[in-house]
């Protein structure tokens, strides 16, 4: 449980290799069995209230996926804090799942995946699901442990200052705090129920705060500290992204509040 980052990376890499292999084994035969490829690509959306309402309903999910940013500190540490490697890793690592999802949706909407699974590839589907669960769980535990490690370490500032080395191993308390709450929730819902309501609340209200409002607050705080130490000021162009992000976040929150309440 408290392996080094390198050890956890090896576990995640093994899960990813199994996931890619099983995914390709499922997808490629499925693509050849799509009933009408052109119609599948050009088919209109089927949301009863139109495309705009469909996109609006999906926004909480889109915000929820931003949680992948929590793994960035661990990723940067694994890459020795190299900016180029970290940027490339985030960009490529974000693009690959998107293309996989698009290809998966294409196979499902075209009927090819159903035919492939019914044709005897159920074991591959199970393997794919298990590999996705192991890989995503490992990444989530690493990101949560990194956050808890910073909180625990922050309680002992003197030890952090005296230490000149970067700790590449998560402590047992940090890992325990990361694993225990989700494990307890999983056991509580083992006999039925789902997390749909909790996922919707997290995507609709918590994620916009974490990834829309809080970054602006942190940037403003850093900018204020920098201005106190220098006479120059940042160009007003830096405020444009903040205004766009803040306006979009508040607009989304107002929409969700009016829709839910």
């Amino acid at each position: 449980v408290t392996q080094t980052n390198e050890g956890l990376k090896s576990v995640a890499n093994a899960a990813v290799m199994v996931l890619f292999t099983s995914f390709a084994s499922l997808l490629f035969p499925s693509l050849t069995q799509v009933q009408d490829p052109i119609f599948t690509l050009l088919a209109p959306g089927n949301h009863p209230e139109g495309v705009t309402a469909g996109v609006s309903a999906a926004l909480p999910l889109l915000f929820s996926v931003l949680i992948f940013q929590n793994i960035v500190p661990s990723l940067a540490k694994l890459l020795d804090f190299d900016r180029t490697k970290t940027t490339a890793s985030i960009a490529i690592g974000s693009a690959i799942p998107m293309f996989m999802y698009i290809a998966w949706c294409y196979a499902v909407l075209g009927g090819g995946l159903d035919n492939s699974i019914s044709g005897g590839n159920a074991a591959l589907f199970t393997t794919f699901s298990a590999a996705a669960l192991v890989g995503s769980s490992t990444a989530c535990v690493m990101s949560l442990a990194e956050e808890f490690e910073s909180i625990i370490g922050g309680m002992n500032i003197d030890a952090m200052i005296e230490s000149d080395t970067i700790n590449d191993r998560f402590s047992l308390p940090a890992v325990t705090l990361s694993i225990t709450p989700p494990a307890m929730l999983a056991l509580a819902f083992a006999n039925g129920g789902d997390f749909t309501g909790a996922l919707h609340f997290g995507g609709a209200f918590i994620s916009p705060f974490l990834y829309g409002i809080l970054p602006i607050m942190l940037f403003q705080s850093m900018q204020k500290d920098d201005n106190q130490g220098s006479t120059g000021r940042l160009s007003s162009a830096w405020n444009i992204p903040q205004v766009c992000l803040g306006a979009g976040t508040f607009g989304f929150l107002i929409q969700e509040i009016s829709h839910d309440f």
Side-chain angles (χ1 to χ4, degrees):
V1 174
T2 56
Q3 293 191 52
T4 62
N5 281 332
E6 290 294 332
L8 291 172
K9 182 181 74 172
S10 300
V11 174
N13 287 344
V16 168
M17 291 302 298
V18 174
L19 184 144
F20 282 162
T21 302
S22 57
F23 180 81
S25 301
L26 272 174
L27 182 65
F28 291 151
S30 302
L31 293 177
T32 62
Q33 299 181 45
V34 173
Q35 299 172 359
D36 192 341
I38 301 300
F39 177 79
T40 300
L41 288 173
L42 302 179
N46 58 1
H47 194 279
E49 299 180 11
V51 176
T52 303
V55 173
S56 176
L59 282 177
L61 177 62
L62 298 178
F63 274 101
S64 295
V65 300
L66 292 176
I67 198 172
F68 85 91
Q69 298 181 47
N70 292 350
I71 197 63
V72 171
S74 297
L75 180 64
K77 185 183 294 185
L78 287 171
L79 297 175
D80 297 325
F81 301 97
D82 185 287
R83 180 185 294 272
T84 302
K85 291 181 180 179
T86 302
T87 302
S89 179
I90 294 173
I92 296 172
S94 301
I96 291 176
M98 181 184 68
F99 289 120
M100 290 175 65
Y101 179 71
I102 292 174
W104 185 270
C105 290
Y106 173 75
V108 170
L109 295 175
L113 187 62
D114 291 336
N115 295 332
S116 178
I117 293 178
S118 62
N121 288 328
L124 282 174
F125 187 79
T126 302
T127 302
F128 167 74
S129 301
L133 178 63
V134 171
S136 60
S137 297
T138 302
C140 286
V141 170
M142 288 178 67
S143 64
L144 286 172
E146 189 79 40
E147 297 297 330
F148 282 119
E149 200 73 66
S150 64
I151 295 174
I152 295 172
M155 297 178 182
N156 191 359
I157 300 297
D158 294 336
M160 293 177 62
I161 296 176
E162 293 175 359
S163 177
D164 294 329
T165 60
I166 298 176
N167 188 12
D168 65 344
R169 184 187 297 271
F170 297 121
S171 64
L172 183 59
V175 176
T176 301
L177 289 171
S178 304
I179 294 177
T180 302
M184 293 177 64
L185 286 173
L187 292 174
F189 285 86
N191 295 325
D194 57 59
F195 298 97
T196 304
L199 290 173
H200 173 77
F201 181 81
F205 301 105
I206 304 301
S207 292
F209 173 76
L210 289 176
Y211 307 114
I213 299 175
L214 189 59
I216 297 176
M217 296 170 60
L218 292 174
F219 181 79
Q220 291 288 343
S221 176
M222 294 173 61
Q223 184 178 357
K224 181 179 179 180
D225 293 339
D226 291 341
N227 288 339
Q228 289 177 352
S230 62
T231 57
R233 298 188 63 183
L234 291 175
S235 170
S236 59
W238 283 95
N239 293 325
I240 297 177
Q242 298 180 64
V243 172
C244 293
L245 178 60
T249 301
F250 278 109
F252 171 77
L253 287 173
I254 292 173
Q255 173 186 307
E256 288 301 315
I257 292 173
S258 63
H259 180 271
D260 291 351
F261 302 101

